[in-house]
Amino acid sequence: MKTLLLVLVNVAAVGTFVVLFRKKNLLSYFSGGRWWLTWLSIAVITLMDEQASIFYATSEAHRFIGSYAIAFIAITSLLMRFLSTRMVEIAEILEHHNIRGGGVYSFSYLVLGPTLSFIAVASILVDYVLTACMSTVSAVENGLTFLSLSPAQKLFIEFAIVWGIAGLNILGVKENARFTFAMFFIIATVLLTLLASALFEASPESWTLIGKSFKYSALHVSEQGVFGGFAFIIVAISGCILAYSGIESVVQTAGLVKGWKEIRKAYIFLALTIGIFTPLISALALSSGLDPKVHETDLITQFASALNGRWFGWIVGAIASIALIMSVNTAYVASSELMERVAHRYGFHWIIKTNRRQSLYRIHLLSALFYSIIIVATEGSQQILAEMYALGLVASFSINMGSLLLYRYFKGTNEIRAYNTSRFGTFLLFIILFGCFIYLCMTKPYGFGLWAGATVFFLTVGLVVARKRAPELKYIQESDTPMEMILALAEAPGEKIDIYFKRPLEEGGTADPSVAFVSFYSPRAGIPPKIAPNHFRFQMSGQSLFESIVGLMHVVKYELPHKGVTFHFGWPQSSWLDRLSIGVMVFSIMKLPKEFPQFNFAIEYFGKKQT
């Protein structure tokens, strides 16, 4: 019966992949003078990372929180699927601002500015470096679990993996995606066989232990009270989050696909595959009777051997090595996208020079060097690497969610309508992830040291570079000055003038000498186009929007005392719950007549013409 089940599983897997391989443009296609990847390509690249994490994250989670890991690996999976909806939202916002790729760095740059965005660069680079190092070490431990090798021999193989994957990426994106998908076919077939075997062999005692993990987790949370229960959840999620380490890679590589809808498809695919597979296989392995303490580096491989014999253990060990090696590949792809974004923004074109295959070969070579240094420094210890790894991961997640909250607070949904998520849900995510970050900083000194060192380095470099090479400097040079507006209005006939405040990219305007249209913009988002000759664009630097408006009014009051001035504000349409800042803005505007009694003020809405 078991043999028949496994045969059917393998036939179904092979048949599915044969159908997929016959489809045209399955993985990449040529359009607009360049190669684009499909949603399936970037989903598979990320899936290889998340899928590979079960070979080290399961035992590490058990070492961290014991049998609670069974429940919390599943709970963390749900949390990551919730997080992925926010990643899609970020991708859609970036595309709206004509920003392609860059993930957490591009988004934090847009929201927080150039200086703080370097914290995001440090966090995500630490994440990618440790992804590669952790996966490399685990690949050797799992693939050679039945062999005895000296530390020097293991180090040699680890170096071969790191530099071999660097060579693969230098071959180019198109070939990389094809190779990754071929490996995915082999790995998925073997792991589906492993899952089918584990489900078939699962004993009643195993399912009872799984049920107890959920039961006792719920009891422990309720017994600890609100704050104690929340603290326990934070600790447990911190121990299990490594199982889903590659989730951000999809939005990080958004520059390789045509639009954010491809990102959404990729995340849905990940939710329906690895989002179910990882918690299920982890629960079955941890409840199988194997001691995770004894098999900390090869738990899944030993589990496979116990299910179907030593020969199957060899196969799963080999598959684990391949999956983990491809996880190293994910780190190369995503980190090169990040570094390309930073280098392009600040004009370091020498590092992003490509070869004939459009590969960022210089970045790949530098990455291989950094990975090798970390492996040597930690002596290839999976435990030390795991402790360092989690902190950079939750740091990047926290920055993403914090930036999204700030963006929605100031922008509401008036600007972005295509894809929106709950602000309250985003706030809960931020609280949980930031709590994990604080906890890991307090308990993982190696991880905190690496993250803090990288952050200080990038902030120091960033402060120097941003002042001299910041791309927004050219937008600042194109900005208008308040005196240009004053001179234009001073020459206007009549005694009355109207000043309309316009949002960036808002349309509508007429060339009237007695009217001025004013837009305040952030140089990070680019200067908005002129809607009329009397449209004046002022940059905001170090001031809020309301402070900039008040400053302009003081200039008008001083320079045009003989004119009757009316200031026009648009009608706020975002909901107060969704955009709390609009309540603060309206409240502030209501106080302006007392401060400027000589001016007229209007908050107005002009309906659309009916056809």
Side-chain angles (χ1 to χ4, degrees):
M1 183 66 181
K2 179 180 178 180
T3 303
L4 177 61
L5 173 64
L6 298 182
V7 169
L8 291 176
V9 168
N10 279 267
V11 169
V14 172
T16 300
F17 279 98
V18 167
V19 172
L20 289 176
F21 272 122
R22 296 182 64 182
K23 288 189 174 182
K24 186 179 180 181
N25 298 330
L26 175 67
L27 302 174
S28 61
Y29 57 96
F30 192 80
S31 177
R34 61 163 291 184
W35 284 98
W36 298 95
L37 295 184
T38 64
W39 66 266
L40 183 60
S41 283
I42 60 172
V44 167
I45 291 173
T46 301
L47 187 144
M48 294 296 285
D49 188 0
E50 290 197 64
Q51 182 177 253
S53 64
I54 65 169
F55 294 105
Y56 57 81
T58 302
S59 56
E60 288 298 326
H62 187 275
R63 182 176 65 83
F64 210 69
I65 57 174
S67 60
Y68 293 120
I70 295 175
F72 273 94
I73 287 177
I75 293 170
T76 307
S77 177
L78 294 175
L79 184 72
M80 291 299 103
R81 302 317 130 195
F82 195 50
L83 178 67
S84 68
T85 60
R86 273 64 189 174
M87 296 297 185
V88 175
E89 187 175 15
I90 288 172
E92 198 262 358
I93 292 171
L94 291 175
E95 185 175 322
H96 176 81
H97 289 281
N98 296 317
I99 300 173
R100 308 287 302 183
V104 61
Y105 167 66
S106 293
F107 191 56
S108 62
Y109 184 94
L110 176 67
V111 178
L112 303 177
T115 301
L116 293 180
S117 70
F118 281 99
I119 300 177
V121 173
S123 300
I124 200 65
L125 275 182
V126 167
D127 183 18
Y128 290 144
V129 168
L130 293 174
T131 294
C133 296
M134 184 76 179
S135 298
T136 300
V137 170
S138 188
V140 174
E141 295 291 343
N142 280 276
L144 305 174
T145 185
F146 300 109
L147 298 178
S148 179
L149 297 177
S150 66
Q153 290 172 320
K154 289 183 179 180
L155 185 63
F156 175 79
I157 297 174
E158 288 162 2
F159 278 7
I161 293 173
V162 167
W163 289 94
I165 297 299
L168 172 65
N169 279 272
I170 290 172
L171 289 178
V173 171
K174 182 168 176 281
E175 288 75 11
N176 193 328
R178 289 179 176 178
F179 180 80
T180 301
F181 192 77
M183 292 298 100
F184 168 65
F185 161 62
I186 298 172
I187 294 168
T189 302
V190 174
L191 291 184
L192 285 173
T193 302
L194 172 64
L195 179 60
S197 301
L199 289 171
F200 186 86
E201 296 287 351
S203 63
E205 292 79 11
S206 178
W207 291 111
T208 300
L209 185 59
I210 293 172
K212 286 182 177 179
S213 177
F214 283 91
K215 177 182 177 181
Y216 292 145
S217 295
L219 285 174
H220 191 75
V221 171
S222 62
E223 289 172 356
Q224 294 295 315
V226 176
F227 295 104
F230 178 74
F232 174 69
I233 291 173
I234 292 298
V235 172
I237 291 176
S238 298
C240 299
I241 203 164
L242 282 183
Y244 309 98
S245 57
I247 188 171
E248 195 183 32
S249 298
V250 177
V251 71
Q252 191 71 35
T253 55
L256 302 177
V257 296
K258 270 198 167 182
W260 66 270
K261 292 182 179 180
E262 303 294 298
I263 302 298
R264 181 173 60 179
K265 293 177 183 177
Y267 274 124
I268 292 174
F269 176 80
L270 291 172
L272 297 176
T273 52
I274 204 67
I276 298 173
F277 175 82
T278 294
L280 191 55
I281 198 67
S282 297
L284 293 170
L286 291 173
S287 63
S288 65
L290 290 172
D291 188 354
K293 295 181 180 178
V294 177
H295 302 290
E296 187 173 312
T297 59
D298 60 353
L299 176 64
I300 301 299
T301 304
Q302 293 293 339
F303 179 50
S305 182
L307 287 173
N308 294 328
R310 195 176 181 87
W311 65 272
F312 190 62
W314 276 98
I315 293 175
V316 172
I319 288 301
S321 292
I322 295 174
L324 288 160
I325 289 171
M326 297 313 298
S327 182
V328 179
N329 172 67
T330 301
Y332 274 102
V333 173
S335 61
S336 65
E337 282 291 304
L338 173 63
M339 294 308 299
E340 180 185 24
R341 188 65 48 191
V342 177
H344 181 74
R345 175 163 282 141
Y346 292 104
F348 292 102
H349 300 294
W350 62 271
I351 199 174
I352 57 176
K353 184 179 180 180
T354 59
N355 58 16
R356 291 182 300 174
R357 296 178 178 271
Q358 300 182 9
S359 171
L360 300 165
Y361 66 97
R362 294 181 178 179
I363 293 179
H364 295 319
L365 291 174
L366 287 174
S367 297
L369 179 61
F370 292 149
Y371 301 162
S372 302
I373 291 173
I374 294 296
I375 290 174
V376 172
T378 59
E379 297 180 350
S381 171
Q382 179 172 300
Q383 180 178 342
I384 294 176
L385 287 169
E387 292 181 357
M388 297 166 68
Y389 188 4
L391 194 142
L393 185 65
V394 296
S396 62
F397 288 162
S398 299
I399 293 171
N400 261 330
M401 295 304 100
S403 299
L404 183 57
L405 281 174
L406 286 174
Y407 182 87
R408 286 305 191 201
Y409 175 81
F410 288 109
K411 297 292 186 180
T413 53
N414 187 67
E415 183 179 292
I416 306 295
R417 289 293 182 183
Y419 191 91
N420 292 294
T421 59
S422 165
R423 304 296 86 78
F424 180 70
T426 305
F427 177 72
L428 288 180
L429 270 175
F430 174 75
I431 293 297
I432 292 172
L433 293 170
F434 188 68
C436 293
F437 173 73
I438 296 299
Y439 170 74
L440 291 171
C441 285
M442 296 171 60
T443 58
K444 307 299 178 185
Y446 292 112
F448 177 72
L450 179 62
W451 177 82
T455 299
V456 170
F457 171 79
F458 277 100
L459 274 177
T460 303
V461 174
L463 287 172
V464 176
V465 170
R467 291 176 181 175
K468 297 180 179 179
R469 294 173 173 260
E472 57 264 25
L473 292 177
K474 66 177 182 180
Y475 299 128
I476 294 174
Q477 294 173 354
E478 297 176 14
S479 299
D480 301 305
T481 64
M483 289 309 300
E484 289 177 322
M485 183 189 77
I486 294 297
L487 292 175
L489 293 175
E491 298 176 357
E495 298 300 323
K496 294 184 179 181
I497 59 174
D498 294 274
I499 299 176
Y500 292 84
F501 292 103
K502 292 279 189 178
R503 298 184 183 92
L505 304 181
E506 188 175 350
E507 297 179 353
T510 57
D512 188 334
S514 299
V515 174
F517 299 99
V518 173
S519 295
F520 290 97
Y521 75 96
S522 169
R524 299 192 300 272
I527 187 169
K530 273 185 174 288
I531 58 176
N534 52 337
H535 181 207
F536 300 93
R537 302 159 299 173
F538 305 136
Q539 61 149 330
M540 292 187 298
S541 57
Q543 289 183 316
S544 68
L545 175 60
F546 182 74
E547 290 172 339
S548 300
I549 290 173
V550 172
L552 180 65
M553 289 180 179
H554 279 292
V555 174
V556 174
K557 175 184 175 181
Y558 181 78
E559 299 291 345
L560 300 174
H562 57 289
K563 295 281 189 178
V565 183
T566 302
F567 288 96
H568 300 262
F569 298 90
W571 190 273
Q573 292 181 286
S574 297
S575 69
W576 283 47
L577 178 62
D578 184 51
R579 184 185 176 192
L580 296 177
S581 63
I582 196 64
V584 178
M585 174 65 78
V586 172
F587 178 75
S588 300
I589 290 174
M590 290 172 65
K591 296 187 296 183
L592 288 176
K594 291 184 178 180
E595 186 173 356
F596 301 97
Q598 68 273 36
F599 294 150
N600 301 315
F601 296 93
I603 299 177
E604 53 199 2
Y605 171 76
F606 299 99
K608 296 180 179 179
K609 293 181 179 181
Q610 301 295 322
T611 58

